[in-house]
Amino acid sequence: MTTNPDPRRRDPYAEFPGRAGRTFAESEAAWPPHRAARPGAPNIVVVLIDDMGYSDIGPFGSEIPTPTLDRLAENGLRLTNYHTMPLCSPARAALLTGLNPHRVGYSFVANADPGFPGYAMEIAEDIPTLPQLLHDEGYATFAVGKWHLVRDSASNAADDRANWPLQKGFDRYYGVLEGLTSLFHPHQLVRDNSPLDIDELPDDYYYTDDITDEAIGMITSLRAHDADKPFFLYVAHNAVHGPLQAKADDIARHRGRYDEGWDRLRDTRFAKQIADGLFPDDTRLPRRNFERGHEVGAWDDVPADTRELYARYMEVYAAMVDNIDQNLGRLTATLEELGELDNTIIVFTSDNGGTGEGGAEGTRAYFKRFVHHPGLPEEWNGDVDRELDLVGGPRSLVHYPRGWGMASNTPFRLYKGQTYAGGVRVPFVVSWPAGLPRDAADDGIRPQYQYVTDVLPTLLGLAGLEHPAERRGVPTQEPDGVPFTSVLADPSAASTHLEQYSEMTGNRSYYRHPYKLVTQHQFGADYDDGEWALYDIVRDPTEIDDLAADLPDVVKELSEAWEAAAWRNGVFPLADASGALVLRHPDEELLRRPVRILAGTPEVERYRSAKLVSFRDFEAAIAIDRHGADDAGVLLSHGDQGGGYSVYVEDGRLWFAYNEYGVLHEIDAGPLSAGPHVVTLRAHTRPRFRWDFTVAVDGTDVAWLEGVHLLIGMAPLQGISVGVDRKSPVSWPVYERHGSFRYTGTLRAVTYTPGPSAAYDPETVIRTLREAAATYE
C-alpha cells in the first residue's frame, strides 16, 4: 500500500479501520458507524396554522368544536403568553431556525426582493434549520403543506431549488410553496422537489384532507421499513388563510352559529377565557378596534340585509377550523394505532394572529380585495355578487369582514401585520404524555412570556439535543431563541425570554418585562418618537392604558434598545413611501422576454406567468390545425375562479372567456373553419386599471371585450396552460360541460409577447420617480 501526497486524490485506504489485503481471505472488513437517534427518542410533530387568532380553538376560548385539541390541552400544556411575528414567512423562518427573522433574511413575506440583507428570502448555509439538525441526529424528516420560505420568483421548476424544503433538511415534502392557494384546486402542488402536472382533481378533493393523507402515508411508510427511527413531521396548513373555503358538510354544522354577530362572539369567548384561567379576573376587554384603517363597527349597525352574508363568512371560517381539528384527530389516531402517541411531542400554534385583510365588508372576490395600489380608481369595488350557497365553495374566493378578525383575536387589539397583541399573540398547545406528565395540581396553563424563536431550542432540548456550534465544518449562527423546557416542567418557573424586538412594515415593538413599547405605524408616515405607546402587559395584557406620557424615561430606554436591536439584527432599512418593496432583482426583466410554450408543456408557474401580462399590454399567438368540425377544447388558459382568461373551441366556434375576479364574460368569436390557423389574443391597457381585449384569426379581428378590470396582485393565481384548463377553471360553465377540456386537434404552441407597461405599473412609477430624482442630484 502506498500513500499519495496529492491532496486532490485521497488514498482510499487512509482512514479505513479494517485491513485490506489482495484477497478477501487476507482482509478484515469494517463498516462506518451508522448514525441513529438515541433509543427512545421522541417523535416531534409541529402543526402550524396560518392566520389563526388567539381565541379560535376550544382550549383558548372558542365555541368551534375542537375535540382533538381539547384532549391534547387537557393532557398537555397551554402557553397563554406565547408571541410570534406579525406575518407568515418571518414567523416560519424564526420557528424553523431559532433566529430572529431579519437575521435569516425574512423581514417580510417571501414575495419581495428589494435588495437588502433583511429581505434576502434565503436561509444561509450557516443557519441550520430544525429538520437539518434533527436529521443529523438520526431523525426522519417530513413536511406537508405551506412552505413560503422560497421567494415567489424562485418557485418555478427552472430555479436551483436551494431554498425548497428538501434542500433545507426534509426527506419528503408535499404541498404548496407559496403563501396561499385554493383549498379545492391548489394552483401548484409540489411533491418532494418537483411540481406536479395535474389536469383534474377528484370531485371531493380538499387540500387540508390531502396533506393530512400524505402526512399519515409518510409516517406509516416509515414504520413499515423501520420500527424505531424517530421522525419530525411539520404540518403547515394553508388554512385558515384566505381565500376562505370549506367543505359543504363542515359549513352546514355551523349554520346559524354566528347570527348574533362579532360583538356577542367576542364577549362570549372572553368570558370563557377568564373562566378557564387564561387571564386574571380583572383583565379588561378593549373597545372595538378603532385605529385608522382598521375600524370595526357595532354588529347592530350592520344593515339587516347583509347580516346573513356576514354570518356565512364566519360559518365558513369555523368550518375550516373544525376540519383542521378533524384531520389532527386522524393524525393522532394513526400515532395511537402505532403505539407512539405517548412518546410524540405535538406542538400546535399559529404563524401570526387573525387578519383584517377582508376589509370592513368582507369580500367574495378575494384577489380583487387583495390589491393594494394607491392609484386604484374610485369605481374599483373589492367585491362581486355571489349567491349565498356558493360562498365558501370552489366557485368563490372569499374573506370575512375584519369584525370577525377582531373576534378571532379576542381579547387583543388589531390584527396580523401589526405588532400589537392581536398580530403576535397566538394559541400554543404542547403535548408529550411520556415526557411532560402533568401533576394533579397543575392546570397546564403557562402565562410566562415566550417567543417563536424559542421553539427550536426547546424541541431540541426535549429531544435531548443541543444546538451545535458548527455543522459540517462550518460555524453556525448563534440562535436568538432560548429553551423554555423549565417553564414546561414547572408552572412557577420564570420566563426564559426576557427581551424581544419586533418589526413589520414599520410597525415596531420592544418587550422588556413588564413593559412593551409598540407603534401602530401609518405606512408612508415619518418615523418619530411620538408614535410610541407603552403598556405594562403584566397588569394590562390587552394593551389599553398607554403609559408613554407618564413614563418618558422608560420610553426613551426601550426605544433606544429597539434601535440597537434593529441594527444588530438587520432590520434597516424600514419600509417607507419610496416604493422600494415593489422593486425586484434586475434579472427578473428576463422573465418578460417573449416565450414560446409548446403543447404538452406542464403548467407555467404563477409568478413566471404573471410577469408576461401584469400591468401591461400583451399578445398570445396560438398556432393550431383544425382537422374537422369535431375538434374542440381549450387552446389557452391562464387563471381560475378568482380571475383569469381562456380561449377555447366548442361546437365549431371560437370563444374567449374572461373571469373578472369572479364575474364571467364569455365572447363568441364566430365559427372556426378546418385547417391551420393562428388565433391571437391581444390585450391593451387603458387608464383606470382596465384592459381592452381583441381576438383575431389569421390576422383578422373577430371579437372584442373592452374596459374590463386588469388582473393584478395575486391574480391570476393559476399559471398558463396550453391546450387545457387545468384544476380550477376560468369558466365554470365550460368546466361543468367538459372538465379540463383538452384540445383534440393539433395545437403546436402559444407564443406570448409582452408589450409596454401601463403608466400605473408600480415598478414603472417607482423607476420613473427615481430617474427624475437622479436628474436633480
Side-chain angles (χ1 to χ4, degrees):
M1 183 183 300
T2 61
T3 58
N4 190 328
D6 186 350
R8 298 180 61 210
R9 188 175 185 86
R10 186 177 62 250
D11 182 347
Y13 302 107
E15 298 181 10
F16 177 55
R19 188 178 76 254
R22 295 190 75 248
T23 66
F24 277 108
E26 300 170 325
S27 306
E28 182 180 333
W31 290 266
H34 177 67
R35 171 159 286 189
R38 65 174 176 82
N43 303 315
I44 301 172
V45 176
V46 173
V47 182
L48 186 65
I49 312 303
D50 200 348
D51 290 2
M52 174 177 276
Y54 188 86
S55 70
D56 282 335
I57 59 174
F60 280 77
S62 182
E63 74 297 332
I64 302 170
T66 53
T68 305
L69 281 164
D70 293 348
R71 286 193 297 271
L72 292 175
E74 284 167 10
N75 298 311
L77 306 168
R78 285 174 283 177
L79 273 64
T80 60
N81 197 9
Y82 170 79
H83 287 65
T84 181
M85 277 292 288
L87 220 54
C88 45
S89 297
R92 291 157 200 272
L95 187 148
L96 289 176
T97 67
L99 275 67
N100 290 324
H102 299 82
R103 286 181 65 203
V104 189
Y106 292 85
S107 298
F108 191 59
V109 289
N111 300 79
D113 188 17
F116 296 96
Y119 296 85
M121 308 300 171
E122 295 179 353
I123 303 175
E125 290 301 311
D126 61 353
I127 302 176
T129 65
L130 180 58
Q132 286 173 326
L133 296 175
L134 291 172
H135 194 275
D136 289 348
E137 297 297 333
Y139 273 70
T141 53
F142 308 131
V144 296
K146 171 174 172 173
W147 181 236
H148 213 195
L149 289 174
V150 59
R151 194 184 309 110
D152 50 8
S153 59
S155 296
N156 63 77
D159 193 72
D160 65 6
R161 297 169 167 82
N163 278 272
W164 290 31
L166 265 61
Q167 281 62 250
K168 291 303 166 188
F170 287 106
D171 293 323
R172 297 182 62 187
Y173 169 72
Y174 179 83
V176 172
L177 294 177
E178 288 201 274
L180 56 87
T181 196
S182 164
L183 300 189
F184 288 105
H185 300 108
H187 64 291
Q188 180 179 263
L189 285 167
V190 172
R191 184 183 300 283
D192 297 331
N193 243 12
S194 300
L196 297 178
D197 191 20
I198 300 171
D199 280 4
E200 296 181 7
L201 293 159
D203 290 341
D204 62 349
Y205 179 90
Y206 190 65
Y207 177 78
T208 307
D209 297 341
D210 184 24
I211 63 171
T212 304
D213 289 342
E214 291 284 335
I216 290 171
M218 291 172 183
I219 293 170
T220 54
S221 177
L222 174 69
R223 284 296 168 258
H225 294 87
D226 190 322
D228 304 313
K229 189 173 191 175
F231 62 83
F232 168 52
L233 171 64
Y234 177 53
V235 182
H237 286 284
N238 284 77
V240 287
H241 196 293
L244 306 182
Q245 295 178 310
K247 297 193 293 187
D249 289 348
D250 290 332
I251 297 173
R253 278 196 297 278
H254 299 276
R255 193 64 48 79
R257 189 188 294 274
Y258 299 101
D259 291 351
E260 293 183 311
W262 48 67
D263 291 328
R264 175 65 175 164
L265 180 64
R266 194 166 174 243
D267 289 341
T268 302
R269 288 187 174 185
F270 182 56
K272 185 174 186 296
Q273 290 170 340
I274 296 295
D276 288 351
L278 272 61
F279 299 96
D281 291 343
D282 61 353
T283 303
R284 294 166 294 162
L285 185 65
R287 63 184 172 119
R288 296 181 203 94
N289 290 333
F290 58 89
E291 297 81 359
R292 182 157 62 95
H294 304 288
E295 305 92 339
V296 174
W299 178 261
D300 288 346
D301 294 338
V302 174
D305 59 352
T306 62
R307 289 185 186 177
E308 186 178 17
L309 171 61
Y310 282 18
R312 171 68 173 222
Y313 287 135
M314 189 59 191
E315 291 166 5
V316 174
Y317 182 84
M320 296 171 75
V321 176
D322 181 347
N323 181 266
I324 287 170
D325 190 81
Q326 293 174 45
N327 278 290
L328 183 57
R330 294 200 296 129
L331 180 59
T332 55
T334 300
L335 294 172
E336 196 160 23
E337 180 70 22
L338 292 169
E340 299 188 40
L341 184 59
D342 280 356
N343 197 33
T344 299
I345 302 167
I346 298 177
V347 168
F348 181 97
T349 189
S350 178
D351 59 352
N352 47 250
T355 180
E357 66 189 23
E361 302 86 18
T363 182
R364 291 159 290 182
Y366 180 74
F367 293 130
K368 198 172 186 187
R369 176 75 72 188
F370 207 61
V371 170
H372 300 287
H373 191 296
L376 282 178
E378 292 180 3
E379 70 269 17
W380 187 278
N381 180 6
D383 194 13
V384 299
D385 192 22
R386 267 284 186 275
E387 294 134 14
L388 192 68
D389 62 353
L390 296 181
V391 170
R395 295 179 61 183
S396 64
L397 280 74
V398 310
H399 213 293
Y400 57 43
R402 60 179 175 245
W404 296 120
M406 176 187 67
S408 173
N409 293 329
T410 302
F412 303 122
R413 292 171 55 186
L414 293 170
Y415 321 92
K416 166 187 177 179
Q418 276 89 46
T419 47
Y420 272 81
V424 297
R425 283 187 71 168
V426 293
F428 192 102
V429 176
V430 58
S431 169
W432 184 22
L436 292 171
R438 239 173 59 196
D439 184 90
D442 184 354
D443 63 5
I445 292 175
R446 298 292 186 269
Q448 296 88 336
Y449 179 101
Q450 300 297 158
Y451 191 63
V452 60
T453 54
D454 303 339
V455 173
L456 181 146
T458 300
L459 291 175
L460 288 181
L462 293 176
L465 305 172
E466 295 182 357
H467 195 287
E470 67 173 44
R471 180 174 184 266
R472 298 182 178 177
V474 176
T476 62
Q477 289 293 303
E478 174 191 19
D480 295 298
V482 287
F484 52 82
T485 46
S486 59
V487 170
L488 298 178
D490 182 358
S492 64
S495 166
T496 61
H497 202 111
L498 305 179
E499 296 192 37
Q500 183 61 47
Y501 85 92
S502 186
E503 186 275 336
M504 178 54 56
T505 59
N507 294 319
R508 295 156 287 153
S509 72
Y510 198 87
Y511 165 76
R512 180 183 288 163
H513 183 80
Y515 296 113
K516 177 182 174 183
L517 191 69
V518 62
T519 69
Q520 172 58 24
H521 181 72
Q522 292 295 326
F523 184 77
D526 291 336
Y527 291 95
D528 61 69
D529 292 342
E531 288 189 305
W532 291 117
L534 180 69
Y535 302 97
D536 181 335
I537 62 171
V538 173
R539 296 181 179 179
D540 178 25
T542 52
E543 300 171 344
I544 296 174
D545 300 323
D546 182 1
L547 306 175
D550 299 328
L551 299 171
D553 291 345
V554 176
V555 172
K556 182 175 185 296
E557 176 187 337
L558 296 189
S559 64
E560 291 174 351
W562 185 91
E563 191 84 5
W567 283 115
R568 186 167 184 262
N569 287 276
V571 174
F572 296 117
L574 293 173
D576 56 22
S578 69
L581 275 177
V582 172
L583 296 179
R584 294 288 187 130
H585 195 291
D587 285 354
E588 286 199 20
E589 283 302 313
L590 298 175
L591 299 179
R592 292 197 173 115
R593 292 180 299 182
V595 59
R596 185 168 182 258
I597 308 169
L598 298 179
T601 299
E603 181 180 302
V604 181
E605 185 270 331
R606 176 199 69 82
Y607 188 80
R608 167 68 167 121
S609 298
K611 280 292 185 180
L612 298 170
V613 305
S614 184
F615 286 106
R616 65 188 53 250
D617 298 359
F618 70 90
E619 178 181 290
I622 309 164
I624 63 170
D625 194 342
R626 293 204 73 217
H627 302 301
D630 293 336
D631 285 352
V634 172
L635 305 180
L636 167 68
S637 70
H638 182 190
D640 48 45
Q641 284 293 285
Y645 55 90
S646 66
V647 180
Y648 62 94
V649 179
E650 184 180 35
D651 297 330
R653 302 184 73 82
L654 181 67
W655 291 83
F656 170 57
Y658 187 73
N659 189 319
E660 189 181 12
Y661 297 101
V663 176
L664 182 63
H665 308 268
E666 293 200 284
I667 309 300
D668 184 350
L672 190 65
S673 63
H677 296 287
V678 175
V679 176
T680 304
L681 175 68
R682 295 195 305 271
H684 175 67
T685 58
R686 55 190 273 188
R688 308 188 74 79
F689 292 73
R690 293 185 182 272
W691 262 326
D692 291 338
F693 282 97
T694 305
V695 179
V697 176
D698 301 325
T700 301
D701 295 347
V702 294
W704 300 263
L705 177 64
E706 297 183 341
V708 290
H709 281 124
L710 269 68
L711 298 174
I712 50 179
M714 294 293 288
L717 182 65
Q718 204 160 289
I720 295 168
S721 289
V722 172
V724 64
D725 191 350
R726 293 181 170 97
K727 302 185 288 291
S728 180
V730 171
S731 169
W732 195 268
V734 170
Y735 172 75
E736 288 186 312
R737 295 193 295 269
H738 303 291
S740 57
F741 205 16
R742 275 195 173 269
Y743 183 60
T744 57
T746 298
L747 198 165
R748 293 189 292 278
V750 174
T751 301
Y752 268 84
T753 305
S757 64
Y760 43 78
D761 170 28
E763 292 185 57
T764 301
V765 171
I766 296 306
R767 287 198 172 98
T768 300
L769 290 173
R770 289 192 167 191
E771 288 167 5
T775 303
Y776 295 99
E777 287 181 355

